[in-house]
Amino acid sequence: MTATKSPDTENTGPLAGVTIVDCTSVVLGAYAMQILGDLGAEVIKIEAPTAEGSPGGDILRWGGKSPKGPGMGPLFMTYNRNKRSVMLDLKKEEAREALRTLIRDADVFASNIRYAGMERLGIDYDSVKKINPEIVYVHAAGFGKDGAYGGLQAYDDLIQAASGGTDLLPRVNQRAGLEGEQFERPAYLPSLVADKTTGLHMVYAALAALYHKQRTGEGQFVEVPMLECFTSFTMSENLYGHCFEPPVGGYGYSRVLNPNRRPFKTKDGYLSIVPYSDRQWDDFFELGGRKGLLQEDDRFNTYQNRTQNVLALYALVEEVAQTRTSAEWIDLLKEKNIPAMRVNRLDDVTSDPHLQSIGFFEHYDHPQEGTYVAMKQPVNFEKTPATHRHHPPALGVDTEAVLREAGLSDAEIAAVSKG
């Protein structure tokens, strides 16, 4: 049986001492705030109580089945460690006053609620700045407020659609010669890539603004718009020929839109094989019984030529790959220093030898939910390592303790709890 760990008792992360009032929800904000929490920030997650038509708390709590009870689904458990849950009904003045108290001593205020809603609650930037002039206010929006879509709702699917992300797989199919509506139809990438990419932008935005505050004492408003963030992510290689005026080619980087860019079939399975330099390509083809191919075929003899003929090149790689087993290729390619990796199915990832050797998947005992699996913070800090200090919190479990630490009296806490 896998041994379980207890949370770390010491906060050694580089953001130790930073306090974040977290009014985010769902994946984008939860992912960003968990990273900051892993790095040592004290993240106070503000959640709404149960109300008519709403189960209460971050809606992510209700995504998927939890083993013990409601409100602790797998997505919430994965994205919400290192946070303390404070339940406040911000429709009530007592709760808003409690939130203002928390804001007074905070370093960062984070939100991905639509800004009009923040204004209605009195927690827009101008209102928060009056409470704490040095606050770093990081707001993740669907679209930049000054643009044509400013203020509209946004979700991962909508942003993938608007950014060109849903056009990538159809372009691959087109280059493969596949015809018909099922191949031409736009398709979502099977991951919440827009949410998580924007979440990473939210993290570095908060860190950069904190650095500015440390140097100057100034807080500021920071807008992190999903469409702009994910368009930058998607189009950075796919602007391609349109990088120039006039264009020197079409949209889409040929290598990544190549339908033959996929794990290559071997005698008994699949491998990812990525020769890159001239020497590596030469050695690969020699191992596959095609010695001298690079010199004999002008389509492949330089990096530029290989890029222009990548469809044919990868088709040839698959042909060569099928001459040996995966184990044979791994040994031969390692000897020649040619990058290659076995293909893991989702079922294989938790038992991957490298991830096991570094203890990437950790097991913890949650006080309510029992044993759960958490992934280590992937970045290694030599001097200030990240920590796993708090289990994902039950809804509102930290309300009393956090408000008391903020200086509220028992009577004030009782008034907030009663609403």
Side-chain angles (χ1 to χ4, degrees):
M1 183 167 175
T2 305
T4 57
K5 298 184 64 174
S6 298
D8 297 304
T9 56
E10 184 181 2
N11 185 353
T12 57
L15 297 183
V18 171
T19 299
I20 300 173
V21 173
D22 171 19
C23 286
T24 70
S25 62
V26 202
V27 170
L28 188 167
Y31 183 53
M33 295 302 109
Q34 178 168 279
I35 292 172
L36 295 171
D38 287 354
L39 300 185
E42 173 83 348
V43 179
I44 301 171
K45 184 178 179 72
I46 308 300
E47 300 190 76
T50 302
E52 185 177 351
S54 171
D58 187 339
I59 196 171
L60 208 61
R61 288 183 175 276
W62 309 96
K65 183 179 179 181
S66 53
K68 302 291 184 180
M72 297 296 285
L75 291 178
F76 183 85
M77 291 289 291
T78 300
Y79 288 111
N80 282 281
R81 66 169 175 256
N82 286 332
K83 302 174 188 178
R84 302 171 77 189
S85 174
V86 172
M87 189 165 62
L88 296 176
D89 184 353
L90 296 180
K91 295 176 182 177
K92 309 290 178 61
E93 176 55 31
E94 296 90 346
R96 291 196 296 272
E97 182 56 34
L99 180 60
R100 288 191 282 267
T101 300
L102 295 176
I103 289 170
R104 285 189 186 100
D105 294 323
D107 300 287
V108 177
F109 181 89
S111 169
N112 63 341
I113 301 169
R114 279 199 291 170
Y115 202 70
M118 305 297 286
E119 290 175 326
R120 285 194 296 272
L121 292 170
I123 48 176
D124 54 289
Y125 176 58
D126 287 340
S127 299
V128 168
K129 184 171 63 171
K130 290 176 183 176
I131 303 166
N132 182 344
E134 296 180 2
I135 197 78
V136 169
Y137 190 114
V138 185
H139 180 240
F143 313 92
K145 65 181 184 303
D146 296 327
Y149 303 154
L152 294 181
Q153 294 186 76
Y155 295 96
D156 186 279
D157 293 5
L158 303 180
I159 298 303
Q160 284 200 43
S163 66
T166 54
D167 189 40
L168 296 176
L169 292 175
R171 283 176 178 261
V172 173
N173 294 335
Q174 181 185 43
R175 294 182 183 215
L178 300 173
E179 298 179 350
E181 196 271 341
Q182 71 269 35
F183 300 115
E184 298 164 3
R185 181 173 180 169
Y188 298 120
L189 302 173
S191 175
L192 299 175
V193 287
D195 276 342
K196 290 180 288 186
T197 300
T198 308
L200 291 173
H201 282 272
M202 197 174 190
V203 169
Y204 81 68
L207 295 177
L210 281 170
Y211 180 64
H212 175 77
K213 176 183 173 180
Q214 183 185 53
R215 288 191 299 113
T216 67
E218 290 181 332
Q220 63 179 299
F221 177 80
V222 183
E223 184 182 51
V224 185
M226 290 182 72
L227 180 59
E228 288 89 321
C229 290
F230 195 61
T231 299
S232 171
F233 180 85
T234 301
M235 294 299 288
S236 56
E237 75 270 26
N238 289 311
L239 197 59
Y240 207 47
H242 285 258
C243 173
F244 299 100
E245 283 286 351
V248 296
Y251 289 105
Y253 177 32
S254 57
R255 191 180 86 82
V256 298
L257 295 180
N258 175 5
N260 293 328
R261 181 189 177 239
R262 56 190 175 183
F264 298 113
K265 186 171 177 58
T266 66
K267 271 188 176 182
D268 62 349
Y270 294 89
L271 282 182
S272 175
I273 305 172
V274 187
Y276 213 78
S277 67
D278 290 352
R279 175 64 182 271
Q280 288 172 344
W281 279 110
D282 210 25
D283 287 345
F284 171 74
F285 284 124
E286 183 173 349
L287 291 172
R290 307 292 181 93
K291 184 177 181 179
L293 184 143
L294 232 63
Q295 292 75 32
E296 296 166 5
D297 195 324
D298 291 343
R299 294 177 301 169
F300 310 132
N301 62 355
T302 67
Y303 174 82
Q304 185 174 16
N305 288 349
R306 287 193 294 273
T307 300
Q308 292 173 348
N309 296 284
V310 70
L311 189 66
L313 176 66
Y314 281 14
L316 187 57
V317 172
E318 175 132 321
E319 184 181 319
V320 170
Q322 294 180 63
T323 62
R324 300 183 188 275
T325 66
S326 295
E328 289 170 340
W329 273 121
I330 286 288
D331 290 340
L332 290 169
L333 295 171
K334 184 176 181 181
E335 185 178 331
K336 289 291 187 179
N337 198 32
I338 298 172
M341 192 62 59
R342 296 181 187 279
V343 173
N344 283 334
R345 305 289 186 178
L346 289 179
D347 317 59
D348 304 322
V349 175
T350 54
S351 58
D352 178 88
H354 175 81
L355 296 175
Q356 281 201 327
S357 68
I358 63 169
F360 185 73
F361 293 98
E362 301 176 317
H363 293 73
Y364 289 85
D365 277 328
H366 193 279
Q368 287 87 42
E369 301 304 310
T371 302
Y372 69 100
V373 179
M375 290 174 279
K376 287 175 67 173
Q377 220 296 323
V379 177
N380 297 313
F381 292 82
E382 180 186 2
K383 303 293 185 184
T384 54
T387 52
H388 185 145
R389 305 178 308 284
H390 303 299
H391 296 299
L395 176 60
V397 68
D398 302 298
T399 304
E400 185 175 336
V402 170
L403 295 183
R404 182 164 285 112
E405 290 166 14
L408 270 70
S409 67
D410 289 345
E412 289 170 322
I413 293 171
V416 169
S417 300
K418 290 176 183 176

